[in-house]
Amino acid sequence: MAFQEVSYRPAFGRTLAVSTVVVCAFGVIALFWGDAASAIRYVWPIILVAVVAWALFWRPSLRMQEHGVTVVNVFRTFFIPWPAIRAIDTRYSLTIHTSRGKVPVWATPAPGRHRAFGLSAKDFDGVGTSARGEHESLRPSDALSTPSGNLAQAIRGHWESLSAAGAFARGEDPEAQTVTWHYGTITAIAVLAAATAIGLLV
């Protein structure tokens, strides 16, 4: 069965992350240029904002691979093998339902109301049957012209093809699905938050 790997990281998120980090870098330079002694106290919240912006807007991504789907969120990375998937939903963001629970994909939030108003029937052509709810209903976030809908359909299409071909006949390997915590990011944010509080209160 032919397979094409898919990788997605939102361009707007990357732009926002870079812009925020650049502004923060100028802020740090300005602080030390003006008063180095005061900068030691007040530089931490600026660095905290830069780290949070990187974690929120640069890091999140999705990668569709031959053996499963890798979802990189702010604090955790999930690897979901194809047999572990139970459903794909796009209500608030692209969400993959597995035998262990739900995995939201931070990189693909559902489109806003203004984007939804601009959709037409053509945007839903080719959406898989498993995406349809009661009375064949579809959400705006299922539209193939939106990142959430497009990626959901890519995952759903390959998952349905594998299922139809009998690839899941042996069942699921309970050890195949993994969760990796981003301890470095968590520690950095906690330390910077503490330094910010100390710098502002002392």
Side-chain angles (χ1 to χ4, degrees):
M1 185 179 298
F3 176 80
Q4 182 176 1
E5 188 171 298
V6 174
S7 295
Y8 177 77
R9 180 182 278 125
F12 176 75
R14 286 182 291 174
T15 301
L16 188 57
V18 170
S19 300
T20 303
V21 170
V22 168
V23 170
C24 289
F26 278 112
V28 170
I29 293 171
L31 271 178
F32 279 96
W33 186 273
D35 185 352
S38 296
I40 298 299
R41 291 183 58 191
Y42 300 118
V43 73
W44 306 114
I46 299 177
I47 298 175
L48 175 62
V49 169
V51 171
V52 169
W54 171 80
L56 285 175
F57 303 120
W58 182 274
R59 165 170 268 172
S61 65
L62 179 144
R63 188 178 180 188
M64 185 175 134
Q65 302 157 283
E66 186 174 1
H67 299 293
V69 180
T70 298
V71 177
V72 181
N73 286 337
V74 177
F75 295 123
R76 290 182 292 178
T77 292
F78 300 84
F79 175 73
I80 308 165
W82 294 108
I85 296 176
R86 298 293 177 265
I88 296 99
D89 180 30
T90 62
R91 185 174 183 182
Y92 300 113
S93 67
L94 171 58
T95 302
I96 302 174
H97 297 254
T98 77
S99 54
R100 297 186 184 180
K102 297 188 294 185
V103 179
V105 182
W106 281 63
T108 57
R113 288 181 297 174
H114 297 294
R115 177 70 181 90
F117 287 140
L119 298 173
S120 66
K122 291 182 179 180
D123 294 295
F124 298 90
D125 288 345
V127 175
T129 55
S130 62
R132 300 177 183 274
E134 189 177 2
H135 308 301
E136 296 294 301
S137 61
L138 289 169
R139 297 188 177 95
S141 51
D142 287 314
L144 300 184
S145 57
T146 65
S148 59
N150 187 276
L151 289 167
Q153 181 57 25
I155 296 170
R156 189 181 291 119
H158 189 65
W159 173 59
E160 291 175 348
S161 296
L162 289 172
S163 180
F168 305 150
R170 296 182 180 179
E172 176 191 349
D173 178 1
E175 302 299 323
Q177 185 176 342
T178 60
V179 180
T180 304
W181 285 88
H182 303 158
Y183 292 112
T185 301
I186 296 169
T187 301
I189 291 175
V191 170
L192 289 170
T196 295
I198 292 172
L200 295 177
L201 296 177
V202 173

